[in-house]
Amino acid sequence: MEKEEAPVKKRTFKKITYRGIDLSDLLDYKKEKLVKLFKARQRRRYTHGITSKYDTLLAKLRKAKKECPYGEKPKGVKTHLRNCIIVPEMVHSVVEIYNGKVFTSVEIKPEMIGHYLAEFSMSYKPVAHSKPGQGSTKGSKFVAKTQVSNIADSF
């Protein structure tokens, strides 16, 4: 009774695409061709012109990626440019986005292409609603605090 060895399955990785185009092909695209793939808001932003601030950010990301050893995450690049659109060249970089108080570290993933940096760094703390406090209603204005504690103790 000899056991037959089952063929070892090779692990398949998720193919990274943006709008049906492979990431490696997107890296070869020129800016004009890439902009045609973006949604309307991002297209409009590029057609109205991009200032040199965004090119400087890309240059810093390129430098950080080049300086890091193979297989490691690059050093984070700090920026206040929350309205910067993520392009394929930024993928696998680390950007520290300012949210008005602190810099939030974000690793750029392929799924983020075409989005704004601000979408990944919350600038506010979401409201956690709970029970209404004292003074929240007109009726509670006329009840004395000592009276409220006495009423609560009687239950």
Side-chain angles (χ1 to χ4, degrees):
M1 291 192 185
E2 292 180 30
K3 291 183 181 179
E4 290 184 32
E5 289 185 31
V8 180
K9 287 187 177 180
K10 288 187 178 180
R11 188 172 164 204
T12 56
F13 293 100
K14 183 180 173 187
K15 191 109 170 145
I16 300 167
T17 61
Y18 176 74
R19 302 258 174 143
I21 299 166
D22 194 32
L23 180 65
S24 57
D25 296 335
L26 284 174
L27 290 169
D28 298 332
Y29 276 26
K30 292 190 188 244
K31 192 186 280 187
E32 294 80 26
K33 196 172 179 183
L34 180 67
V35 169
K36 288 180 182 177
L37 295 174
F38 285 153
K39 293 181 180 177
R41 169 54 44 194
Q42 287 81 346
R43 270 198 320 268
R44 180 184 166 108
R45 174 85 184 288
Y46 270 93
T47 55
H48 283 244
I50 297 292
T51 58
S52 61
K53 300 185 275 188
Y54 305 100
D55 294 330
T56 306
L57 175 63
L58 279 173
K60 286 180 181 179
L61 288 171
R62 262 186 241 118
K63 183 181 175 190
K65 229 192 242 189
K66 196 163 82 170
E67 288 176 352
C68 82
Y70 179 76
E72 289 186 24
K73 288 183 185 177
K75 187 181 172 199
V77 176
K78 290 185 176 183
T79 184
H80 283 244
L81 300 174
R82 295 173 56 80
N83 61 352
C84 183
I85 299 165
I86 297 172
V87 293
E89 193 176 353
M90 294 177 164
V91 173
H92 302 300
S93 296
V94 178
V95 182
E96 294 182 8
I97 309 159
Y98 192 66
N99 67 2
K101 188 175 180 181
V102 293
F103 286 94
T104 309
S105 187
V106 176
E107 183 183 356
I108 307 295
K109 295 183 172 74
E111 296 84 32
M112 297 178 178
I113 296 173
H115 290 269
Y116 289 94
L117 286 177
E119 294 179 45
F120 307 102
S121 176
M122 294 287 281
S123 61
Y124 63 94
K125 184 178 174 185
V127 179
H129 295 284
S130 62
K131 288 193 250 177
Q134 182 154 3
S136 62
T137 61
K138 292 286 185 186
S140 65
K141 185 165 78 170
F142 301 107
V143 180
K145 290 182 182 179
T146 55
Q147 201 176 8
V148 171
S149 62
N150 292 339
I151 294 169
D153 293 337
S154 65
F155 289 110

